[in-house]
Amino acid sequence: MILKAPIRGLFCVHPNASDYFCGMSDQRFSYEQLTRFVQSVFEKIGCPVPDAQLATQALLSADLRGIDSHGVARLSGYVRLWEVGRVNARPNIRIIHETPSTAVVDGDGGLGLIVATRAMSIAIEKAKQVGTGWVSVQNSNHFGIAAFHAMQAMEQDMIGWAMTNASPLVAPTFSKDRLLGTNPICVAAPAGEEPSFVADLATTTAANGKLEILQRKKQNTPTGWVQDAEGNSAHDPNILKQGGALLPLGGDREHGSHKGYALGAIVDLFSALLSGANYAPWVPPFPAYVPMPSEQPGKGIGHFLGAMRVDAFRPVEEYKKHMEHWIRGFRNAAPIDPSQPVIIPGDPEREAELERKADGIPLMESVVNDLSQLAHQLGVNPL
């Protein structure tokens, strides 16, 4: 059942979003409705109920926070990975090496949505014991949005870290070759009366999911997002299928792409070179139809999760008092345009979550059709 009558017109989550992030949204669905559907799909492919519930919560957190590229639109992609044997629905997630403050976790080919959440739980438990906890993960899969995992630490008055390497779609500065993934980084820090600070960003100018949205809407990419197979600036959202590449954050050398390249490389280091996962161009691709790399120096996709107890550094209330002061300083900064105040990382997603919990989650027609086909294929109740 659709929550409310079809909506016609532009739907825009992020207050600063350009038309590239806003589109025709025909239908809204309640969070509860999507939860029932997504969980039934995960159970259908063999996930135990607790894992299906956890994976559903992780996946739909993206839709709630307005990150439509990483939410329910990716559900069929996870199912296809399971169909070709690249996702283990009943993984034996285990620690294979540890110290009091660190661990390496083998995800046993499980859904990254589940593996990363379990790894963050380990990091939090270690932080409770010794102040900080750091977990590097091998043998996993795509873990959804990094913020979902990092934000788990805030519930314990800890600062959370989450990062992951990803399919090699990004050309380093000065290169035509695709050697890195979008490799996101998230840091989530609790505050007091002010909303928490949550910085969740790809180390590319735009994540691949943004290209998929533009493909559905038949729109071009802005300058600085992608290049063609010869390294020339391009605007075709399908350019990756023609040998092109995403660009590091900054877009080109003159605008600091070498810094985005360095950040993406750092994620690879922590997520894979510490854990024993695959790295650089050998990271397994997300689309199931893309052949696996012929060389596999490691195991699966890698993540890195961290938790830092605030009181390992200073009293929590003292920290929160100063965190609130810091946040309010930015909120009170003089805006260039009075209609657009200065925001804090995490504000747009928090506002989106409040709005979508109340009014429903908008899905593009192409996504609704994809989910309908998935329901028919698996024999589950459709939306």
Side-chain angles (χ1 to χ4, degrees):
M1 179 185 298
I2 299 172
L3 180 71
K4 60 195 296 186
I7 297 171
R8 301 288 175 181
L10 285 177
F11 177 82
C12 186
V13 172
H14 194 305
N16 286 332
S18 70
D19 288 341
Y20 295 103
F21 300 105
C22 308
M24 296 297 294
S25 179
D26 291 329
Q27 300 181 38
R28 286 187 183 232
F29 298 84
S30 71
Y31 176 75
E32 292 73 20
Q33 182 181 3
L34 288 174
T35 295
R36 288 192 296 270
F37 176 77
V38 173
Q39 184 174 329
S40 70
V41 169
F42 283 132
E43 289 181 22
K44 193 70 174 181
I45 67 173
C47 293
V49 172
D51 283 2
Q53 292 173 334
L54 182 59
T56 298
Q57 183 184 7
L59 186 67
L60 291 184
S61 69
D63 294 291
L64 278 179
R65 293 175 65 78
I67 315 300
D68 298 328
S69 57
H70 283 57
V72 70
R74 284 188 178 258
L75 182 59
S76 61
Y78 290 115
V79 172
R80 285 191 289 269
L81 288 173
W82 169 76
E83 288 174 332
V84 299
R86 286 177 47 198
V87 161
N88 179 3
R90 293 178 175 269
N92 176 24
I93 301 168
R94 66 194 191 280
I95 295 173
I96 58 174
H97 177 77
E98 68 179 322
T99 72
S101 64
T102 66
V104 175
V105 165
D106 187 311
D108 194 26
L111 286 162
L113 301 164
I114 297 168
V115 175
T117 306
R118 298 276 171 78
M120 177 52 90
S121 296
I122 293 170
I124 289 171
E125 287 305 310
K126 287 184 173 293
K128 287 179 180 179
Q129 298 301 317
V130 297
T132 67
W134 306 97
V135 179
S136 196
V137 178
Q138 62 167 249
N139 202 9
S140 186
N141 282 284
H142 190 278
F143 79 176
I145 60 169
F148 175 80
H149 308 293
M151 290 173 70
Q152 306 306 307
M154 295 195 302
E155 299 173 5
Q156 307 292 330
D157 281 332
M158 299 180 187
I159 295 173
W161 295 71
M163 57 188 78
T164 183
N165 64 9
S167 308
L169 301 173
V170 183
T173 304
F174 304 137
S175 178
K176 295 188 290 186
D177 293 335
R178 305 194 309 201
L179 298 176
L180 289 171
T182 53
N183 292 14
I185 299 171
C186 181
V187 176
E193 295 179 3
E194 290 287 337
S196 302
F197 173 102
V198 183
D200 184 1
L201 59 146
T203 54
T204 49
T205 305
N208 183 43
K210 304 302 183 188
L211 297 189
E212 294 169 353
I213 290 174
L214 294 183
Q215 290 167 17
R216 297 186 193 111
K217 293 157 55 179
K218 302 185 183 342
Q219 294 181 353
N220 289 332
T221 67
T223 299
W225 281 26
V226 295
Q227 67 183 25
D228 65 19
E230 298 304 316
N232 303 308
S233 179
H235 298 89
D236 182 355
N238 295 289
I239 200 69
L240 301 185
K241 301 171 185 175
Q242 304 162 29
L246 289 167
L247 293 172
L249 185 62
D252 56 36
R253 177 63 173 80
E254 288 69 27
H255 294 91
S257 66
H258 57 294
K259 299 177 183 179
Y261 163 31
L263 288 171
I266 288 169
V267 172
D268 227 15
L269 190 160
F270 282 96
S271 299
L273 295 169
L274 281 182
S275 71
N278 289 299
Y279 45 81
W282 301 287
V283 175
F286 180 77
Y289 61 82
V290 177
M292 290 283 284
S294 57
E295 181 182 348
Q296 292 280 279
K299 291 184 176 181
I301 286 176
H303 318 310
F304 186 78
L305 295 307
M308 304 165 60
R309 238 174 54 202
V310 169
D311 66 2
F313 297 88
R314 67 189 306 192
V316 172
E317 292 308 313
E318 183 180 291
Y319 154 84
K320 287 184 176 180
K321 176 182 176 181
H322 286 275
M323 188 66 173
E324 290 170 1
H325 188 251
W326 184 89
I327 290 173
R328 288 166 183 164
F330 283 88
R331 294 208 189 284
N332 294 328
I336 297 171
D337 180 350
S339 68
Q340 177 55 73
V342 176
I343 62 175
I344 301 299
D347 279 352
E349 294 85 356
R350 175 178 53 82
E351 292 168 7
E353 184 167 355
L354 291 172
E355 189 270 342
R356 291 181 171 201
K357 280 183 175 178
D359 297 335
I361 295 171
L363 299 182
M364 283 189 279
E365 183 178 1
S366 59
V367 174
V368 175
N369 291 339
D370 183 52
L371 297 179
S372 296
Q373 293 173 9
L374 186 62
H376 177 75
Q377 171 193 339
L378 295 178
V380 301
N381 292 330
L383 286 171

